[in-house]
Amino acid sequence: METPPAAATPGVAAGHIRLILSHSTDVFYLEIPTPVIRSNSVRPIKYLRFLGWCIMGILGTVKSDREGLDVADNALLQDQAIYFYVYEALDEDAALKYAVDLAVIKTRSDVSASDSSVHARKEAFKESLVQRDATCIFTSKPAVVCQGTHIIPFSRGDEFNLLVQNRPANPDEDVSTLVEVDDGRNGMLLGADLHMIAELRNVVVLNTPNLVLDVNDVPPHPARTLGRDTEFPDMQRYSLQWLQGDSPQLLLYYPNNTDAAFRRHTHIPRPSPALLHYNYGAAAVKWWGQGQEHLGISNRPTMPRPSVPVPAATGPTRTKRTGNASIPRRGPGNVGGSGSGPQDSEVPLEEEVIDADDVVMFLWAQNPAALERRKLVAEEQKREREERARRMGQWRESVVDV
């Protein structure tokens, strides 16, 4: 028997629904225009489940109230309804013990304007994408008028490795070698104008099938003529979707649900589904998110801070900004072990701006798989310290004996 849709609620604007994301309170939610949901998926309830999974990093269900039955995937979406994304609650003690404190990471999330290597790196990045994509993957414009577009923004390169480590589990994708922001799996070749729209996250790319949506849950892609050297992937879709924007002209140039095409007969890995899901979630939080300030991301002074494994070559030079001044960071070593923080001058946490990327990374870092991975790393580091201490003790004893 199909579960009835959630009842209309006066607090939700007409033409919108509310998806509450926090498992314990109502403070963090999305206020989503219903036309966007319907244009991006033929099964709106499944689409809500996809959004919840992208943002929280945990598979869950959609309910009309937290204790009720699941809303069926084929149920109709009701205007002005409140829905709940419900998932298994995390152990709060474990979350506090192993969660990454993004207020620390945030201190190096700005690109230094003086980094002279940025232009050369972007050119090299584009060239690597030309080898795989040949043309703009959505419009077939020639590579000469295209730009290399990062899925995870280039400006957040120092956080890239951490984000990949804390991704929602997906057995179909091996990301063990995905360690650099300039990896081709973190990019797409797009025409210059589409590149600008994508960087603003007005449009995002939906990869199907994934753990929630199948290829048939996305509306059919518009007719499109491909060049002789490009083709659509078999049994997989990379669909361009609009989250924000109402320009008929832009929609004419870049129709919703247009599928990407890639160079024929190449074995170069395509864009990473995990990174596309992250970007989709961050874009949803950017445009529709409400209540991020209540998540406690920037004001958790007592949270233990495990070391953050960020390779020095992962991204551009970072600076720590306070007002109009930029204070150079000393590198990843500034993030210490449990109970330690940045070793240079502090910026009050309330001055840090927590954006959509921070929210999704923070939530991904607390999903059960991420907590378990960090727990195992912490245990291994403890064993290594104990082994070093044992060897040091043996050495001291041998010196005394001599």
Side-chain angles (χ1 to χ4, degrees):
M1 178 176 170
E2 181 179 309
T3 305
T9 305
V12 181
H16 293 72
I17 63 95
R18 181 173 299 173
L19 179 63
I20 294 177
L21 295 165
S22 174
H23 70 274
S24 58
T25 69
D26 297 353
V27 298
F28 178 47
Y29 59 90
L30 304 180
E31 198 92 353
I32 316 173
T34 53
V36 175
I37 299 173
R38 294 189 177 108
S39 66
N40 287 342
S41 179
V42 298
R43 294 176 179 84
I45 301 301
K46 286 188 77 174
Y47 182 76
L48 297 184
R49 284 205 289 124
F50 170 74
L51 291 176
W53 173 63
C54 282
I55 295 168
M56 305 303 298
I58 310 172
L59 285 170
T61 60
V62 172
K63 297 179 181 289
S64 56
D65 63 75
R66 285 195 177 89
E67 306 303 326
L69 297 174
D70 296 347
V71 179
D73 284 340
N74 60 353
L76 297 176
L77 191 72
Q78 179 156 337
D79 190 40
Q80 293 182 272
I82 292 182
Y83 296 93
F84 295 80
Y85 184 68
V86 179
Y87 50 91
E88 183 179 352
L90 300 177
D91 176 57
E92 185 63 17
D93 290 337
L96 289 175
K97 184 175 182 181
Y98 297 109
V100 174
D101 188 348
L102 293 186
V104 177
I105 302 170
K106 183 65 179 175
T107 58
R108 20 174 238 285
S109 62
D110 292 321
V111 177
S112 170
S114 62
D115 191 341
S116 59
S117 67
V118 169
H119 178 73
R121 289 185 59 177
K122 288 186 175 181
E123 287 299 312
F125 179 64
K126 174 185 173 179
E127 183 55 35
S128 70
L129 296 176
V130 171
Q131 302 306 310
R132 183 195 67 199
D133 301 344
T135 63
C136 172
I137 60 175
F138 293 110
T139 67
S140 298
K141 289 182 178 180
V144 68
V145 295
C146 292
Q147 295 187 30
T149 303
H150 288 82
I151 300 170
I152 305 306
F154 180 74
S155 62
R156 304 185 76 94
D158 283 348
E159 304 160 23
F160 185 78
N161 188 255
L162 180 65
L163 185 149
V164 172
Q165 289 185 10
N166 291 311
R167 71 199 181 281
N170 187 345
D172 297 328
E173 181 180 9
D174 179 14
V175 294
S176 59
T177 59
L178 187 55
V179 296
E180 295 189 1
V181 74
D182 287 332
D183 189 303
R185 288 169 289 179
N186 186 42
M188 304 169 289
L189 193 66
L190 301 180
D193 45 0
L194 185 55
H195 165 84
M196 290 188 292
I197 301 171
E199 290 229 313
L200 293 173
R201 285 179 167 145
N202 287 28
V203 294
V204 286
V205 177
L206 173 60
N207 173 251
T208 53
N210 53 58
L211 293 184
V212 180
L213 296 173
D214 200 352
V215 292
N216 295 324
D217 294 324
V218 181
H221 67 87
R224 176 181 162 204
T225 302
L226 301 182
R228 286 181 293 179
D229 57 343
T230 59
E231 62 184 357
F232 295 117
D234 289 334
M235 309 299 292
Q236 191 173 178
R237 296 178 66 181
Y238 292 82
S239 304
L240 186 74
Q241 295 198 328
W242 283 87
L243 300 191
Q244 177 74 12
D246 54 4
S247 167
Q249 186 175 16
L250 287 175
L251 285 170
L252 179 64
Y253 286 140
Y254 313 113
N256 205 40
N257 301 305
T258 297
D259 280 354
F262 302 90
R263 187 188 294 273
R264 291 177 180 270
H265 311 305
T266 178
H267 299 291
I268 302 174
R270 298 189 184 108
S272 162
L275 301 184
L276 290 172
H277 301 331
Y278 161 86
N279 191 56
Y280 208 111
V285 171
K286 173 181 178 179
W287 296 116
W288 309 324
Q290 302 290 330
Q292 297 95 305
E293 67 276 10
H294 298 298
L295 292 175
I297 296 176
S298 63
N299 189 24
R300 306 179 78 166
T302 61
M303 179 187 289
R305 295 169 180 175
S307 58
V308 181
V310 182
T314 304
T317 303
R318 304 288 160 185
T319 60
K320 182 175 183 177
R321 302 191 184 277
T322 97
N324 295 323
S326 294
I327 303 173
R329 299 291 290 172
R330 289 200 296 268
N334 287 324
V335 182
S338 179
S340 65
Q343 302 301 309
D344 54 0
S345 58
E346 295 283 351
V347 173
L349 292 177
E350 60 270 20
E351 292 185 15
E352 298 289 356
V353 176
I354 302 301
D355 60 19
D357 288 270
D358 294 321
V359 170
V360 177
M361 190 184 298
F362 175 79
L363 295 169
W364 277 29
Q366 295 188 82
N367 74 63
L371 294 177
E372 183 62 26
R373 281 193 292 269
R374 284 200 300 281
K375 180 180 179 181
L376 293 175
V377 169
E379 290 173 348
E380 179 62 28
Q381 291 174 341
K382 180 181 178 182
R383 285 193 293 268
E384 291 176 356
R385 289 194 299 269
E386 291 173 346
E387 178 62 18
R388 285 196 297 270
R390 185 187 66 79
R391 291 178 180 177
M392 183 61 71
Q394 290 179 337
W395 175 79
R396 289 193 183 109
E397 290 176 2
S398 66
V399 171
V400 171
D401 290 342
V402 172

